[in-house]
Amino acid sequence: MVRVRFAPSPTGYLHVGSLRTFLFNWLFARHYKGKMLLRIEDTDQKRYVSGAVESLIKTLQDFGLDWDEGPYLDKKEQIKEMGKVGPYFQTQRLDIYKNFAQKLIDEGNAYYCFCTEQELDKMREKQTAKKLPPMYDERCRRLNKEEVALRLRSGQPYVIRLKIPEQGIVKIKDLIRNDIEFNYRDVDDAVIIKSDGFPTYHLANVIDDHLMNITHVLRAEEWISSVPKHVFIYQSFGWDLPRFGHVPLLLNPDRSKLSKRQGDVAAEDYLAKGYLPEAFLNFLALLGWNPGDNREIFSLKELIKEFSIEKVQKAGAIFNLEKLDWMNGCYIRKKNTEELTRLCLPYLINADFIRQDGSQIFIKSSGIKIDIKWLSKIIKLEQERLKVLNDIPEKTKFFFIKELNYDPQILIWKKSDVATTKSNLELIKNNLNKLSSNNFKAQNVQNILNCLGKDRGVGDIFWPFRVALTGEKSSPPPAEIAEVLGFSEAIRRIDLALDKLNLMS
């Protein structure tokens, strides 16, 4: 059975690149009806961030992703574990790593290193000055058993290093990059147990992957250089290798590595901005993977069915925000109005346009009680123009602001003037007054505007009416806005526009 894992370090937010790595593992596992594991690699205590595990789990859940083994949050948001090969936190597995590290030493595949940080710094300085790659010079590798024992008895601090063979070739067939080859003479004697007794990634992840029966290791390409060290550990213990696949990096448009300096890289930030989880995952899936045709919109079920590791590309994938906005807009337009309204509601509340008291909703500026159906009409008007949910407050603010604050000059259409604009608004008002509140519908308003436009000019009628209702130069059709505002409010806003024009006269 296919068994894959996602093993993040709890050092802060979930990077979008890490989310993409989780997604590729998840799609691979679900495609082959295998198991997905979550493991927390928390042995780097200096970089550990309190609450990061809870945040990580919640973010994955907010994206609608699940896993079969590992930590999860219960209903009280307490961390629990599921699965039979745990514990799934590396800090709870320290004795396991120490025992295996000792076995490597006993069998001559690792050794104690007593070099201080100062000695290592001087070593690197000399190597850099000679334009050599900075590598450990293996001085402690040459210590005899008696000297090692003496230093250990004296309590001298130490780390444990791998004793990498001095010659030989390491070759694996990567699932994405085909043959990868290393010469052992170019590989450093990596630290596997630090001076604080905690293991490094090299030792802990190999041991855990073996004991947790991981069959495929799909991880970022930055770990390619670690392959020979990991292969050496597997072979030292006589363990079978998993299949490795190194996925391409995510890149900025300038092809630099995606970083916080050039934009948001925290996955949860995109949810906060109003990107839909299903749209964002669809976007991420296509960063480095191609279905082999021109299709771009996939549901998670479709991605599971179509996903193939053979179709993951080697080259880095550009994180294109314009493409993400387009894709998110596609998903927004597919939402039914009821669901989209529910999704937009928190953004209107956060913008202080509305407040919610239990099941009741009020416009904050006026205190007027509104119902969800009226709110849904507003959302429906803007649905076609939305790219992210966070756009909704700015695009709909004129519905919730009692006094529109705009320059009266924008009421005037192109080469028109104040007098003509006043005359046209008064004409619109007089004709709208012929409608009752009951038949104040968008089509009836549109008919009036069309009729007046034939006589006075389309721009001279529609433009000032739009601005009077919204205070904006662009908006959905003004007749539809008028219906949502209602007869009395539409007339009131025309009167306010006339007042502004009177002050210009």
Side-chain angles (χ1 to χ4, degrees):
M1 175 186 286
V2 166
R3 287 175 64 84
V4 296
R5 50 75 169 173
F6 176 63
S9 298
T11 56
Y13 56 80
L14 178 65
H15 191 284
V16 292
S18 298
L19 178 60
R20 199 269 307 263
T21 300
F22 182 103
L23 179 63
F24 278 12
N25 276 278
W26 186 84
L27 291 173
F28 186 77
R30 296 296 178 250
H31 179 82
Y32 288 104
K33 295 180 172 54
K35 298 294 183 181
M36 177 77 194
L37 281 70
L38 176 63
R39 186 174 72 223
I40 305 300
E41 300 192 342
D42 57 346
T43 56
D44 190 344
Q45 293 295 288
K46 291 180 180 178
R47 298 178 62 221
Y48 177 82
V49 174
S50 178
V53 175
E54 292 85 346
S55 175
L56 167 80
I57 293 174
K58 187 176 185 307
T59 300
L60 290 172
Q61 291 175 337
D62 287 345
F63 275 101
L65 297 168
D66 60 0
W67 49 97
D68 305 295
E69 299 178 29
Y72 67 95
L73 296 178
D74 65 12
K75 292 181 180 179
K76 296 181 180 179
E77 296 198 349
Q78 298 297 308
I79 296 176
K80 299 293 176 65
E81 290 190 8
M82 55 185 175
K84 298 180 180 180
V85 293
Y88 296 88
F89 286 79
Q90 288 188 333
T91 49
Q92 298 174 25
R93 301 170 63 85
L94 297 182
D95 288 342
I96 296 173
Y97 308 133
K98 289 177 183 178
N99 290 335
F100 278 108
Q102 188 60 52
K103 186 175 182 181
L104 287 173
I105 290 175
D106 294 343
E107 295 179 359
N109 293 315
Y111 60 93
Y112 295 101
C113 174
F114 303 94
C115 294
T116 65
E117 284 296 326
Q118 292 77 14
E119 289 174 316
L120 293 173
D121 288 341
K122 288 181 180 179
M123 183 190 307
R124 295 186 192 102
E125 287 175 9
K126 290 180 180 179
Q127 290 169 337
T128 302
K130 295 179 181 180
K131 297 183 178 180
L132 297 172
M135 295 176 62
Y136 182 62
D137 64 4
E138 303 178 359
R139 62 183 67 176
C140 287
R141 181 171 175 155
R142 296 185 289 272
L143 296 176
N144 59 45
K145 290 184 179 180
E146 291 74 18
E147 188 170 357
V148 169
L150 180 63
R151 294 193 183 200
L152 290 175
R153 283 197 299 272
S154 69
Q156 187 172 344
Y158 66 85
V159 299
I160 298 177
R161 291 181 180 271
L162 287 177
K163 188 182 284 187
I164 297 293
E166 294 180 344
Q167 59 184 0
I169 300 296
V170 176
K171 183 185 290 187
I172 67 164
K173 185 169 285 294
D174 190 272
L175 291 166
I176 297 167
R177 298 161 193 279
N178 295 320
D179 290 337
I180 295 179
E181 185 175 299
F182 293 88
N183 194 314
Y184 271 134
R185 67 167 177 254
D186 300 321
V187 181
D188 198 12
D189 281 2
V191 174
I192 55 172
I193 297 289
K194 295 175 289 185
S195 58
D196 61 5
F198 283 77
T200 63
Y201 173 84
H202 302 301
L203 181 68
N205 110 89
V206 169
I207 291 172
D208 289 345
D209 285 348
H210 174 73
L211 296 181
M212 295 180 181
N213 304 310
I214 299 302
T215 60
H216 296 77
V217 175
L218 307 181
R219 59 188 181 185
E221 69 173 59
E222 59 195 355
W223 292 109
I224 290 177
S225 62
S226 299
V227 166
K229 300 163 190 172
H230 298 171
V231 169
F232 176 67
I233 295 173
Y234 275 105
Q235 292 176 339
S236 296
F237 290 127
W239 295 340
D240 292 334
L241 293 176
R243 295 296 307 278
F244 290 98
H246 291 88
V247 301
L249 293 175
L250 297 184
L251 305 175
N252 293 303
D254 64 1
R255 302 202 69 81
S256 61
K257 184 178 177 182
L258 190 67
S259 66
K260 190 76 173 175
R261 291 189 300 274
Q262 296 196 44
D264 292 322
V265 295
E268 56 261 44
D269 287 349
Y270 288 89
L271 293 179
K273 287 181 177 180
Y275 289 97
L276 300 174
E278 58 270 37
F280 197 76
L281 292 179
N282 187 163
F283 171 74
L284 279 185
L286 294 175
L287 295 181
W289 173 79
N290 190 297
D293 53 39
N294 294 326
R295 288 175 297 164
E296 294 188 294
I297 304 299
F298 292 87
S299 67
L300 279 179
K301 285 185 179 179
E302 290 169 336
L303 284 172
I304 290 171
K305 181 181 178 181
E306 297 285 345
F307 187 79
S308 167
I309 199 68
E310 290 77 19
K311 292 180 180 178
V312 175
Q313 302 157 353
K314 299 177 187 177
I318 300 294
F319 194 93
N320 187 329
L321 272 176
E322 290 183 2
K323 182 67 171 289
L324 175 58
D325 286 347
W326 169 82
M327 188 170 285
N328 201 63
C330 290
Y331 274 84
I332 285 176
R333 288 188 287 277
K334 289 165 64 176
K335 294 286 183 186
N336 64 58
T337 307
E338 182 180 353
E339 183 181 4
L340 185 59
T341 302
R342 178 180 59 79
L343 292 171
C344 288
L345 190 61
Y347 294 92
L348 294 171
I349 293 173
N350 289 339
D352 273 345
F353 289 158
I354 61 176
R355 64 178 178 87
Q356 194 168 14
D357 186 2
S359 61
Q360 296 184 323
I361 304 172
F362 302 87
I363 295 177
K364 198 158 187 181
S365 62
S366 64
I368 295 173
K369 182 181 176 182
I370 58 176
D371 60 33
I372 199 70
K373 289 183 179 179
W374 183 79
L375 203 55
S376 294
K377 290 179 181 179
I378 294 174
I379 302 303
K380 189 173 183 179
L381 281 179
E382 291 291 349
Q383 186 166 4
E384 291 297 316
R385 304 199 309 158
L386 284 179
K387 292 181 180 178
V388 293
L389 299 180
N390 201 28
D391 287 343
I392 199 67
E394 181 63 26
K395 289 186 178 297
T396 63
K397 62 184 179 182
F398 56 83
F399 284 105
F400 308 102
I401 298 173
K402 189 172 182 180
E403 300 296 333
L404 299 178
N405 184 20
Y406 59 90
D407 183 348
Q409 187 66 43
I410 68 170
L411 285 161
I412 301 169
W413 170 249
K414 291 186 176 180
K415 295 182 180 180
S416 188
D417 54 36
V418 173
T420 302
T421 305
K422 283 174 58 179
S423 175
N424 287 335
L425 279 176
E426 287 168 350
L427 186 61
I428 293 169
K429 174 184 173 182
N430 291 335
N431 277 271
L432 292 181
N433 274 321
K434 295 175 183 178
L435 298 173
S436 66
S437 297
N438 292 333
N439 64 356
F440 195 73
K441 304 297 182 185
Q443 188 57 60
N444 294 334
V445 174
Q446 185 71 32
N447 291 340
I448 289 174
L449 297 176
N450 289 341
C451 184
L452 296 176
K454 289 178 183 179
D455 182 40
R456 297 289 183 102
V458 173
D460 278 311
I461 292 297
F462 280 83
W463 180 266
F465 185 53
R466 177 196 304 278
V467 176
L469 295 182
T470 68
E472 303 287 342
K473 294 180 179 180
S474 63
S475 72
E480 295 180 22
I481 293 172
E483 179 182 331
V484 175
L485 287 172
F487 175 79
S488 298
E489 181 62 17
I491 297 299
R492 188 185 76 85
R493 293 190 180 198
I494 293 173
D495 285 337
L496 289 174
L498 289 169
D499 289 344
K500 288 178 180 287
L501 289 170
N502 286 332
L503 292 174
M504 294 177 66
S505 302

